[in-house]
Amino acid sequence: MAANESQMPFIRNLASSDRKLRTASLESLSTFLSSRTTLSDTDAQKLWKGLFYALWMTDRPIPQQRLAADLANLLFTLKPTCAIPWLRGFWVVVGAGWTDIDVLRLEKFLLLVRRVFAAHVRLARERGWKDGDVEAIVGVLAEYPFDVEGDLRKSPVGIRLHALDIWVDELEREQALKDEAAAGFVKAVGELVQALKRCPVKPVRERAGDSYEDERLPWAEAGSDREEDDEEWGGFDD
């Protein structure tokens, strides 16, 4: 059954100023999503359009922060087969609506992107950093915020730069940088960022170069160790 906003008034109610109504609406949406055994890209995008609107209409910082976190966590109510279409739907809808976001609303959508990016990492962690899951999740990032071709219709510059600003933070927050089992995931995401050094969009190239050298990343740490070894060698005395 295709998702239809008229059949899901709980999406509209997520923007309500009534906290009880918002909570009940979120529970209804979670129940609806958890009942899905399949999720098409079209249905995922329809749902995210409604959720985008709900955040758009939400006022005051604390409700905005709560809703951004709640929307990101909806991923974990879905059955495994629905997760990737859900993530793709998010990036499609946010990318399409990004340039319409005014400065007064920008902060809450930046937060939403941060929370959903973190959910990508958490999903990989909860699935045990398995190769197949890592490949699928990294594939979504490669198609949208870390797309090397620089298709700004798919992912505007603002989304790309924000993703480059936050990716190391969220890897660290989700403990991927300290988990040996996550090494493959961290490396794969790092390779996406490294490839962006060749992106045709100059600000993206520059930001990718800076973020790839973040000292928290394992390859930056290894490079630092090599530099220290070089400094310790003083050469032969004359």
Side-chain angles (χ1 to χ4, degrees):
M1 181 179 67
N4 188 308
E5 286 185 50
S6 66
Q7 297 170 333
M8 294 176 290
F10 41 79
I11 287 183
R12 294 193 300 274
N13 291 338
L14 286 172
S16 172
S17 59
D18 185 328
R19 184 174 180 179
K20 290 183 178 179
L21 183 56
R22 290 200 310 270
T23 300
S25 299
L26 185 66
E27 290 175 353
S28 297
L29 178 56
S30 297
T31 299
F32 173 82
L33 289 174
S34 65
S35 70
R36 305 287 297 233
T37 55
T38 61
L39 185 66
S40 69
D41 287 340
T42 299
D43 282 357
Q45 290 169 32
K46 287 180 179 178
L47 286 162
W48 269 114
K49 283 179 183 177
L51 299 177
F52 185 96
Y53 171 77
L55 185 59
W56 182 283
M57 297 301 294
T58 301
D59 296 323
R60 301 193 306 275
I62 292 178
Q64 291 169 359
Q65 292 165 18
R66 287 174 177 160
L67 183 57
D70 288 339
L71 297 186
N73 287 333
L74 286 171
L75 173 65
F76 304 100
T77 68
L78 292 162
K79 290 181 171 57
T81 54
C82 299
I84 297 303
W86 180 253
L87 292 175
R88 283 201 303 261
F90 167 76
W91 292 112
V92 168
V93 170
V94 171
W98 193 260
T99 55
D100 294 327
I101 300 172
D102 57 79
V103 67
L104 296 177
R105 290 185 169 94
L106 182 59
E107 195 67 30
K108 59 186 175 182
F109 282 100
L110 289 171
L111 179 62
L112 177 63
V113 170
R114 178 182 285 273
R115 295 290 180 258
V116 174
F117 191 99
H120 287 65
V121 184
R122 197 177 318 139
L123 180 65
R125 187 187 72 201
E126 291 193 359
R127 294 190 179 180
W129 310 109
K130 295 177 182 176
D131 290 345
D133 293 316
V134 164
E135 183 179 354
I137 294 165
V138 171
V140 174
L141 297 176
E143 187 176 359
Y144 294 101
F146 292 157
D147 159 50
V148 74
E149 299 300 325
D151 186 349
L152 301 183
R153 295 167 300 178
K154 183 187 294 183
S155 291
V157 172
I159 290 179
R160 293 167 180 270
L161 296 179
H162 186 51
L164 288 168
D165 284 340
I166 66 174
W167 72 282
V168 182
D169 292 343
E170 300 313 314
L171 288 177
E172 182 178 48
R173 194 187 313 275
E174 295 299 328
Q175 301 179 346
L177 299 179
K178 294 182 178 180
D179 187 345
E180 291 184 4
F185 181 82
V186 173
K187 180 182 178 183
V189 177
E191 287 173 349
L192 296 182
V193 174
Q194 186 178 36
L196 287 174
K197 294 179 183 180
R198 303 187 300 275
C199 179
V201 182
K202 183 178 179 180
V204 173
R205 288 199 307 272
E206 294 175 345
R207 194 72 57 88
D210 291 341
S211 70
Y212 186 77
E213 301 301 327
D214 191 295
E215 62 184 9
R216 292 169 290 178
L217 294 167
W219 46 86
E221 184 176 315
S224 176
D225 290 343
R226 285 194 297 272
E227 288 177 6
E228 289 178 5
D229 290 342
D230 291 342
E231 289 174 2
E232 289 175 2
W233 169 247
F236 295 106
D237 293 333
D238 292 335

